[in-house]
Each structure stands twice: as C-alpha cells, then as structure tokens.
Amino acid sequence: MQANANNLQIALYWLKAIIDDSLKIRFGRVQNFEINPLRLYDKNSWLAAFMEQYEPNIEEFVVLLLTIAPHLQPHFFNQIIAEHLPEGGDFPEFGGVKGSNHRGILPTGETAQFILAGDDLEKRLEIQRILSSEHWFAQKRILWMEPVREGEPMMSGRLVIDPEIIEQLTIGTVSKPRFSLDFPAEYINTEMDWDDLVLHPNTLRQIHEIENWIKHSDTLLHDWGMKKKIKPGYRALFYGPPGTGKTLTATLLGKQTGKDVFRIDLSRVVSKYIGETEKNLSRLFDKAENKNWILFFDEADALFGKRTDIRDAHDKYANQEVAYLLQRIESYNGLVILASNQRANIDDAFVRRFQTIIHFPMPRPEERCKIWSRTFPPQIRIVQDIDWQHVAARYELTGAGILNVVHYCSVELLASESNLLDLKQLEFAIQREFIKEGKIV
C-alpha cells in the first residue's frame, strides 16, 4: 500500500510539472518544454501493473492522470491555477467544469488539449483521437469524455474514469457493483457445488457444454481464428417450472469457472417511459463489457417475450426495445442466460440467436430420491420407516420445494430439541408445502 501511495504521489508531481510548463508557455515565460520520463518509486505497485498491462504512451498516460487527479487531490487543478493567476481571473483556455457536488475543477477534453497540445492544431486533433469512442480507453471502458449539449464544443465534455479503475489504482481491489438504479442487477453466489445439484442427465450434459465454452472460448476465437466467423459471447435459454434449478445452475457455472454472476432485475430495467428501457440496458451492458461476467435474466418473459403487431405507438417502441436488446446481447462478449417458465413465451427472433436451449423439467422420482437423501443435514436421524424412494414416487416436488420441506422440518426439530424425524412429521411438512404452492393434497 505504501509503495503504491508513493508512486501515485510521484505521478502527481510529474503531472503538475507538465501542467506548470504548459502554463509557462501560455504566459510567455518559456518557449517550449519536453516531458521527462516518469520514474516510479516501486515497480511492484498497482499503478506500475496498470502501465505494464496496457502500455499507454506518454500522451495517453497524461490523460489518464488528468482524469484521476481530482479523485486523489480534490484541489489539484485549482491550486495550480492559483499559483499562476494569484489575483484570480477566468482562464477558459484551460477548460474544466464544476461538478454538482465537487467544488474543484474537473478536467475536460479541452484541458487535455491545452496541456498536451497548446495551440498546435495537429496535436489537438491527436488528443481528440485519444478521447474518441474508437480509442482503447473507451473500448475497454477505462475512461471517456462525457457527451455535451447539442451545439457546444465536443471537447468541452468532462473526462470520466471508470470507478473500478480508481479502486484498482488506489486500493488494489475492485468491489462488486451495488444494486442501484444505474446498475439494476445483483451479484449472486452459492456455497453449493455440482454434487448438490440434481438434474436430468440430458440437462446436465448441456450445462457441461456451456462450461466447455467458458473454458475454451479464447482458444476457439483467437488461436483457432474463429473470431472473424462467429460472434463473441454465448447465449443460452433455460426454461422450465420454477424451482427446478435454473438460478442455481447459473450461479454454479460462475463458481466453477471463476466468473461473477449477476441476476438482472427486469422490473428495474423495463420502463413505461419511451427510451428509458434502452438507457437502462445500455448502462448495464456498458458496465459488464470486458468483465467476463455471467448475466442472468430471470423471468425473462417480461422483456424478451413475443413481439406484437404494431397497432399503436406503444407497440412500436416495445418492439424497438426488443430489437435493441437483441443487438446488445449479440455484441456482449460473455455468457448471457435467459430464464423462462415456458419456452413458448420467448420470441422466435431470440430463439434463433441462442447457442443452446436447455429444458429444466420437473425432477423424476429417481432424481427426487437423490435430492431427498442428500438434502437433510447429517445431524438429523431418519426413522427406518421413511423410504425415500417411496416418498419420491408419491410426492411430486421440485428441488426448491424439497428444500423448503427440509428447512421446515429442521427448524421444527431444533425447536423441539430433537434430532429424530418420523414419517408423520415429514408428511405434514410435505402437505404444508403443497398447500403453499396451491396444489391439491
């Protein structure tokens, strides 16, 4: 931590010297200057690791530091300007804007142009290229220039850096994004393993196909040259009754392959206001891009359902939302999983774009028997007259339903200070679950 703090301080001193020299040229105190190489205090720091990973040139690194500086020293730019304009005054050539909460100067594209190019038009255009959407800064979602109002100079947009880059360069770790209006998804994980998940053999085989893609996609696309022939990413549809393991499967895929899984809350994505749904989706996919996250759209029928014939403006914009979503899903370079209760609920235009469609059926008696025998904690003793094969054959429950029964029985035994489960207690718990699900006992 100390080495990284020292390196960041050295980088800020280096940036300040560059800004001072550019201001001296502006006020006629010097004719020109050269940017001296940056010598870091320690090569084993997060800043050094970033530079080694991305290999920015001098101009790119200056732009990066300009964007980072207010996050490290809020008064950074104000202090420099005050040294050169001790009596105050406006200095529009330097660029910069005020934030809604931050009271100091926030750099803009014009700030980067002033410092690195001055009045040299060719150099100013080169800085503009660095801040374009085609540059690796924007492509990798590291930093970008905020759009401006129509009619205003494009380079007057504020420089914005991904908060994750700030965390990476300052504290060395990146926290998972929190559920919010700007990120309508929640991180999901599990303590369970594949052995705890009981699925139909055909379902399990198809799940392992996805696992194989996750492990070998880079080799397929790059080493085997398939990148120019197939689109990046993988799209899967899980369909079947609630409680049959769709969410758990998505979570286990992430756990076994070391990828974060985020479940999308579609109620926060879909908006009744025209254009808002696309904005919500755009923020979500922009955040996920290049992260190798698994995006899990639960109950996807709400957004991915059948498109309608256009009868009014609402139908027109609803279909536009679907079209936009198709585009973003197809361009996403990670795994997208849609979950639905019924395959028929999903629009055919989506179905054609899935690499795999996996059915999660109600578990058969033999699968229910495995779930029953594996789910009760070892502290509970089962009386001999409970035959799991008989119970599994008689009562049709999903894995989630069986887990609910086990949960209820376990709590009741703890409350009665007993660890012996008899058939009467078990059947009462099963009947209770059937009633809760609205089934006839």
Side-chain angles (χ1 to χ4, degrees), residues 210-224:
I210 299 178
E211 200 173 10
N212 290 337
W213 175 85
I214 294 174
K215 292 178 180 177
H216 303 294
S217 60
D218 286 343
T219 301
L220 176 66
L221 292 174
H222 304 291
D223 297 348
W224 286 23

Side-chain angles (χ1 to χ4, degrees), residues 55-76:
E55 299 181 341
N57 61 33
I58 291 291
E59 289 77 14
E60 290 167 342
F61 191 61
V62 169
V63 171
L64 177 72
L65 287 180
L66 284 173
T67 316
I68 292 173
H71 296 269
L72 301 176
Q73 294 181 356
H75 61 287
F76 183 79

Side-chain angles (χ1 to χ4, degrees), residues 137-148:
F137 272 157
Q139 293 289 318
K140 294 183 182 295
R141 199 70 183 165
I142 292 173
L143 67 84
W144 56 94
M145 194 165 56
E146 194 174 57
V148 297

Side-chain angles (χ1 to χ4, degrees), residues 184 264-271 276-277 280-281 284 297 303:
I264 316 305
D265 182 352
L266 287 173
S267 67
R268 301 290 291 271
V269 171
V270 180
S271 173
E276 284 300 309
T277 299
N280 294 339
L281 288 166
L284 173 65
F297 288 85
L303 192 57

Side-chain angles (χ1 to χ4, degrees), residues 123-166:
K123 288 183 179 179
R124 291 180 73 88
L125 293 177
E126 177 61 21
I127 304 307
Q128 183 173 330
R129 186 193 66 80
I130 293 175
L131 293 171
S132 73
S133 60
E134 302 301 318
H135 190 268
W136 62 268
F137 272 157
Q139 293 289 318
K140 294 183 182 295
R141 199 70 183 165
I142 292 173
L143 67 84
W144 56 94
M145 194 165 56
E146 194 174 57
V148 297
R149 291 182 178 179
E150 186 176 355
E152 293 187 6
M154 181 176 63
M155 296 300 288
S156 63
R158 180 171 61 101
L159 299 184
V160 182
I161 189 167
D162 189 330
E164 293 181 6
I165 300 297
I166 294 294

Side-chain angles (χ1 to χ4, degrees), residues 380-428:
I380 293 180
R381 293 188 298 119
I382 310 297
V383 298
Q384 293 183 352
D385 61 341
I386 293 181
D387 181 348
W388 289 130
Q389 289 185 341
H390 175 73
V391 172
R394 182 177 180 185
Y395 300 106
E396 187 179 39
L397 285 166
T398 64
I402 292 173
L403 183 59
N404 287 340
V405 171
V406 172
H407 184 195
Y408 175 79
C409 290
S410 301
V411 172
E412 288 299 302
L413 289 175
L414 285 169
S416 63
E417 298 182 352
S418 171
N419 66 344
L420 181 66
L421 178 70
D422 59 37
L423 183 59
K424 183 178 180 180
Q425 292 170 309
L426 177 64
E427 289 183 333
F428 176 80

